[in-house]
Amino acid sequence: MLTEDAARGGYSVGGRLPMRGNPKISRADVADFLHRAAHSTEWSRRDAVITD
């Protein structure tokens, strides 16, 4: 679930991650990941799972 909370700066990213309960992540942390992914080739043409 996306939240309006401030960025925590700590999140997990992977091709597959175990999900427990109702994972939440702030929009600011998602934006941080997207910015970093856009400026590198690590996630080019790959799916990413992001969670706190």
Side-chain angles (χ1 to χ4, degrees), residues 33-52:
F33 168 74
L34 291 174
H35 178 79
R36 291 172 188 266
H39 290 89
S40 75
T41 58
E42 181 180 1
W43 289 101
S44 180
R45 301 183 186 271
R46 294 178 55 200
D47 295 333
V49 177
I50 311 168
T51 189
D52 60 348

Side-chain angles (χ1 to χ4, degrees), residues 20-38:
R20 292 181 216 120
N22 188 17
K24 297 179 183 178
I25 190 166
S26 71
R27 292 177 189 273
D29 282 331
V30 172
D32 179 67
F33 168 74
L34 291 174
H35 178 79
R36 291 172 188 266

